Amino acid sequence: MSLDFVDKWPICSVLDPETLATIKKICVFGSSGNEAIYITKNDDVYAMGSNCSSCLGLGDAHSSFEPRKIEPLCKKQIKSLAYGSGPHVVACIANGDMYSWGHNGYCQLGNGNSNQGMAPNLITTNLQSKKIVQVACGSHHSLGLTEEGEIFAWGQNNCGQIGSGTTTNQPTPRKVTAIIGTRKATSVACGQTSSMALMDNGEVYGWGYNGNGQLGLGSNVNQPNPCKVQALSNVIVTQIVCGYAHTLALTDEGWLFSWGANSYGQLGTGNKANLVSPNRINSEERFVEIAASHYSHISAGLTQTGKVFMWGQCRGQSITSPMLSRFSTTDDIFATFACPQVTWRLYSVDEVPGRDIITDISKSFDDASTSDVKFVAEGREICVHKSILKIRCDHFRSMFQAHWDEDKKDVIEVNYPYTVYKAFLSFLYTDMVNLCPEEAIGLLELANSYCETSLKKECEQIIKQGITVENAAMLYAAAIKFDARELEEFCFRFALNHLTAVTQTEAFSQLDESILKGFIMKAAQAGAFKY
């Protein structure tokens, strides 16, 4: 995220460049986007804005555009932060502790009473020895997800959004067990008065208010207990987000589903009719991220090719089908087109000091007028600079030494595909990779050979986003070959989730015997062949 992006949030425009440069993570919230909490690179936590209901956690009710420290949270490494409509705020930190503050008229702070919380208060009831890894907030209720995949809920429960089987408000965290039982959740999300959970097997459950069909159950009946979204049984969901009264789900194959309220076109279906069951949004693009906020009726999605689409209520206009933007992140959409302009997640700032220098270096890649060495791959030249390559890569640092022949050459031939080697050299100039998943496999091999760990991770991410039933077995074998453990596990899980289809592909039939044996044994241990 550049400093220009931070300036798009109106409340951040009052910060000076020096302060902006220190920001590592930021959350903008409030009914008008008038409150902000940010974390600096030194892990200090600051708040600024109107301080409605003491939601800034500063110990008082004073409003100020001058940033002030939230002392109890400094140096605590906040991992997840969510806000409600009161507003109230809930945050969890690196050690698994959870804090809350702000509006508490419905016991949404989880501290056993309904008194307003002026400063961060540690939530402990029913959470002994539990580590919270994610938090989510609806209008006046809260959810916490533990390291073990358990869901705890508390606060307003007039529509059953706590999942307790009743409509009685819950003053302290209560474990959600009905229907879900011992199943493990991987993430939770909240609409205004509804709750959703994504399980580790890709199933989705919803409970609470369902007047607009936002639970995806095929009806408009409220649910005080979790109910499985049966219409998604044939897909594996990897991300779930909630808008004010609509829901989006992303599958491991890049398919996007939507359901619920659609008065502004937030379902992306091309019309404004509500849907009580999940509907796949038609798109030639493969989505890799979706975004929504219970504060608004806007939706956004990022595709595998880096395109960002938006739909729904965008600055007062109703966009009923995904519209391509010129932004590079879904966060840009919420900074510019959402109403109010709030962040849909705790956003991590990736600003790098000296970006003008980085821009100039990036532009010098493949510039024949300034280069001092050329690489030739498949008969095509790539113009680069020895000094930059030596600074950025140990392989070239060794290559360009006086006792090596390459140091004296102006042209060096390499036995790699042109697109792959150019992408590798470009990465050394830009820290970015622009390849399709199939080509990224070749780059992964090169990165593995040259011991370029960061490039290897970039390749793995690209490959993950391009996995399909047809290529899963091939990618699994490639991950093993190039010692990409995280990618190997990802491909295995994908193949396990689509086992019947994957085993019928040509790629699976071509697996090396040892890899095939290993896969079968691992699948057996995971319970794939149990009756």
Side-chain angles (χ1 to χ4, degrees):
M1 183 175 91
S2 69
L3 298 185
D4 293 337
F5 173 82
V6 176
D7 285 341
K8 290 178 184 176
W9 305 95
I11 192 171
C12 295
S13 63
V14 301
L15 298 175
D16 58 69
E18 291 75 19
T19 299
L20 288 172
T22 68
I23 297 176
K24 181 176 67 174
K25 295 181 180 180
I26 187 167
C27 177
V28 178
F29 60 103
S31 59
S32 301
N34 282 339
E35 278 95 10
I37 293 173
Y38 66 82
I39 306 163
T40 70
K41 295 170 184 176
N42 293 326
D43 202 31
D44 285 325
V45 184
Y46 288 84
M48 57 183 288
S50 63
N51 206 15
C52 180
S53 300
S54 298
C55 64
L56 297 183
L58 297 169
D60 55 47
H62 303 315
S63 300
S64 173
F65 279 128
E66 184 69 28
R68 298 162 60 197
K69 269 189 181 181
I70 307 179
E71 294 288 356
L73 296 179
C74 290
K75 313 301 183 184
K76 294 287 182 64
Q77 299 180 46
I78 293 176
K79 297 300 181 183
S80 177
L81 186 147
Y83 52 82
S85 299
H88 74 285
V89 183
V90 182
C92 65
I93 61 176
N95 69 358
D97 285 346
M98 182 167 54
Y99 292 82
S100 63
W101 62 95
H103 190 270
N104 197 30
Y106 301 91
C107 305
Q108 60 263 48
L109 298 187
N111 56 15
N113 60 56
S114 58
N115 300 326
Q116 189 165 289
M118 303 186 77
N121 174 71
L122 180 64
I123 305 175
T124 58
T125 304
N126 299 329
L127 295 177
Q128 290 81 1
S129 76
K130 302 292 184 183
K131 290 187 175 182
I132 303 297
V133 295
Q134 188 211 342
V135 292
C137 293
S139 178
H140 301 296
H141 76 288
S142 311
L143 300 179
L145 176 67
T146 72
E147 190 175 48
E148 294 78 20
E150 301 166 307
I151 303 169
F152 285 82
W154 60 97
Q156 188 179 39
N157 194 33
N158 60 323
C159 302
Q161 56 265 49
I162 300 305
S164 61
T166 72
T167 54
T168 304
N169 290 353
Q170 178 64 34
T172 56
R174 179 188 186 280
K175 186 176 177 180
V176 179
T177 57
I179 313 301
I180 290 177
T182 59
R183 292 179 179 86
K184 294 183 178 180
T186 57
S187 69
V188 288
C190 294
Q192 278 282 294
T193 49
S194 61
S195 303
M196 303 295 298
L198 173 61
M199 316 311 286
D200 62 357
N201 62 354
E203 293 178 344
V204 176
Y205 286 79
W207 59 97
Y209 184 69
N210 195 33
N212 298 288
Q214 55 262 61
L215 300 185
L217 305 176
S219 72
N220 295 102
V221 181
N222 293 355
Q223 298 294 333
N225 284 315
C227 292
K228 181 180 176 181
V229 182
Q230 297 289 351
L232 295 174
S233 295
N234 294 325
V235 297
I236 304 298
V237 176
T238 56
Q239 187 191 355
I240 189 97
V241 293
C242 295
Y244 185 96
H246 76 286
T247 310
L248 304 177
L250 177 67
T251 76
D252 61 353
E253 295 183 275
W255 298 350
L256 176 54
F257 289 83
S258 63
W259 62 93
N262 197 28
S263 301
Y264 303 94
Q266 58 264 46
L267 299 187
T269 56
N271 58 54
K272 295 184 179 181
N274 290 1
L275 291 174
V276 296
S277 294
N279 172 77
R280 183 181 172 186
I281 296 178
N282 293 323
S283 174
E284 296 180 359
E285 296 278 345
R286 176 175 180 145
F287 284 89
V288 296
E289 180 181 88
I290 50 177
S293 165
H294 71 85
Y295 260 41
S296 62
H297 308 283
I298 189 172
S299 305
L302 170 69
T303 72
Q304 179 184 315
T305 56
K307 296 176 183 176
V308 176
F309 291 83
M310 65 180 184
W311 59 100
Q313 189 181 33
C314 303
R315 281 205 171 183
Q317 295 189 50
S318 295
I319 299 176
T320 60
S321 296
M323 175 182 177
L324 179 63
S325 75
R326 297 179 64 185
F327 295 123
S328 58
T329 72
T330 55
D331 305 273
D332 290 326
I333 297 295
F334 283 79
T336 309
F337 283 94
C339 183
Q341 290 168 266
V342 298
T343 50
W344 71 274
R345 59 179 169 185
L346 179 61
Y347 187 76
S348 296
V349 180
D350 60 356
E351 166 63 15
V352 180
R355 62 190 183 283
D356 293 334
I357 296 174
I358 291 175
T359 299
D360 290 341
I361 291 175
S362 299
K363 289 179 179 178
S364 70
F365 174 66
D366 207 16
D367 182 358
S369 66
T370 61
S371 73
D372 56 3
V373 64
K374 297 175 182 177
F375 283 88
V376 178
E378 296 182 325
R380 301 168 68 181
E381 294 182 345
I382 310 166
C383 303
V384 288
H385 310 76
K386 289 182 181 179
S387 57
I388 292 177
L389 301 190
K390 288 165 69 175
I391 291 170
R392 292 280 288 154
C393 178
D394 288 339
H395 172 79
F396 292 118
R397 193 173 299 123
S398 299
M399 176 186 289
F400 296 125
Q401 293 186 18
H403 59 278
W404 289 95
D405 291 341
E406 284 84 353
D407 188 51
K408 303 179 182 65
K409 293 181 179 180
D410 296 327
V411 179
I412 301 172
E413 293 194 10
V414 292
N415 190 28
Y416 283 98
Y418 170 77
T419 54
V420 169
Y421 210 77
K422 184 177 182 180
F424 167 57
L425 295 175
S426 176
F427 174 78
L428 299 180
Y429 280 73
T430 65
D431 259 348
M432 297 175 64
V433 178
N434 185 21
L435 283 180
C436 67
E438 289 73 19
E439 291 177 321
I441 296 173
L443 188 55
L444 176 63
E445 178 182 8
L446 194 155
N448 190 59
S449 299
Y450 286 7
C451 300
E452 286 292 320
T453 304
S454 58
L455 176 57
K456 202 171 171 182
K457 290 185 179 297
E458 287 287 328
C459 292
E460 289 183 39
Q461 190 60 34
I462 293 172
I463 293 169
K464 284 180 182 179
Q465 293 174 355
I467 194 169
T468 64
V469 166
E470 286 72 26
N471 66 19
M474 180 268 290
L475 297 182
Y476 176 71
I480 293 175
K481 180 179 179 181
F482 304 130
D483 194 32
R485 301 294 177 83
E486 185 178 325
L487 178 61
E488 176 188 340
E489 183 62 21
F490 177 86
C491 293
F492 172 76
R493 288 294 165 188
F494 182 94
L496 199 63
N497 288 333
H498 304 272
L499 190 58
T500 301
V502 169
T503 55
Q504 294 175 359
T505 62
E506 183 179 352
F508 189 83
S509 68
Q510 294 177 350
L511 284 179
D512 178 83
E513 184 178 346
S514 62
I515 293 177
L516 181 59
K517 276 185 178 179
F519 176 85
I520 293 173
M521 291 177 64
K522 193 172 181 181
Q525 292 170 355
F529 308 121
K530 291 181 179 178
Y531 289 102

